[in-house]
Amino acid sequence: MADDIQNLDSSPILRIPVNYQGDISGEMQYFRDVLQFMGTTQKLIYYSDSKYPRSYQIEFLFEKQEKYEFLEFWNNLKGEFSKFWYISEERSFELVSNIESSDTSFLAKSNNFEEVFKGNERVCFRFRNGDLLTRKIESITCDKINDECLLETGVSFDRNINLEDIFGIFYILPVRFEEEVCKIVNESKEVSTLQMRIKELLGEYPS
């Protein structure tokens, strides 16, 4: 097969090799306002996470060739000045059943998605053969009893997808690097560690 990239714009995708899943670590943070109500016996703190962009602190390993490819990607973006698409490292959805090529929706474990759904989310299917497939989530219908959500994409998948074909289903986010520099430590002649911070651009999802 081949990649099927839809519902994104022309900004590049940062691709992290699937075989690096054991070496990727990340910490997701929400930018959020804290409203503090005084005059009570305890401070009442109200969080509204779902309205705020995600921020990632990421560290992962590169072999020599991947390091050079990332540095070329960084230079082409001019560091923090250009937008790109980032496939989040946490598996966001667990597919419940196979997908037929004509399907315009898929069934997944809910993962509390109903609580944070904004209406602009894109997901990326990463296949074990290296292919990517992206879709926008147009609407959701959740079954709280079975802890499942039917996610409607409005566009057919144009391929049969079996559970064993999928490495994972992830958010794919429009982001920018938060810093002018990234930190690469050469652990050996062949392996390097990369550290970087990125921030989701909520206002830059395509319509």
Side-chain angles (χ1 to χ4, degrees), residues 51 75-76 88 93 97 136 146-147 198:
K51 297 179 181 178
N75 288 330
N76 289 340
S88 63
F93 302 96
S97 59
K136 179 183 178 183
N146 294 313
D147 191 33
I198 58 175

Side-chain angles (χ1 to χ4, degrees), residues 19-165:
N19 62 321
Y20 275 80
Q21 70 266 29
D23 300 318
I24 299 172
S25 62
E27 178 183 351
M28 186 182 76
Q29 300 174 341
Y30 283 103
F31 285 82
R32 55 191 178 184
D33 288 338
V34 178
L35 305 180
Q36 185 173 302
F37 299 90
M38 304 304 293
T40 58
T41 56
Q42 294 180 337
K43 290 187 296 185
L44 175 62
I45 298 177
Y46 173 74
Y47 296 110
S48 184
D49 288 350
S50 63
K51 297 179 181 178
Y52 291 83
R54 300 169 180 86
S55 177
Y56 288 88
Q57 172 72 46
I58 299 167
E59 180 175 330
F60 52 91
L61 297 180
F62 277 142
E63 291 184 355
K64 183 182 295 184
Q65 183 60 38
E66 279 79 30
K67 180 181 73 172
Y68 293 148
E69 290 173 358
F70 174 81
L71 289 173
E72 182 179 6
F73 184 88
W74 171 274
N75 288 330
N76 289 340
L77 290 177
K78 297 180 175 60
E80 66 177 341
F81 295 104
S82 298
K83 173 177 123 181
F84 63 98
W85 290 93
Y86 171 69
I87 304 169
S88 63
E89 71 279 346
E90 76 274 8
R91 289 175 175 83
S92 304
F93 302 96
E94 179 185 348
L95 193 64
V96 171
S97 59
N98 295 338
I99 299 174
E100 300 294 329
S101 62
S102 59
D103 287 346
T104 59
S105 62
F106 65 96
L107 188 65
K109 291 293 184 182
S110 68
N111 196 24
N112 296 317
F113 184 54
E114 187 177 23
E115 304 298 324
V116 298
F117 179 61
K118 305 183 188 74
N120 57 14
E121 285 84 354
R122 270 67 172 173
V123 294
C124 180
F125 289 70
R126 294 185 70 173
F127 293 88
R128 296 190 182 278
N129 66 359
D131 288 353
L132 302 180
L133 180 148
T134 63
R135 292 291 187 271
K136 179 183 178 183
I137 303 304
E138 299 286 353
S139 62
I140 60 173
T141 303
C142 291
D143 179 353
K144 293 184 178 181
I145 295 176
N146 294 313
D147 191 33
E148 295 175 348
C149 275
L150 184 68
L151 296 95
E152 178 65 48
T153 65
V155 179
S156 65
F157 284 88
D158 293 330
R159 68 172 79 186
N160 294 325
I161 300 175
N162 298 319
L163 296 176
E164 61 269 20
D165 298 335

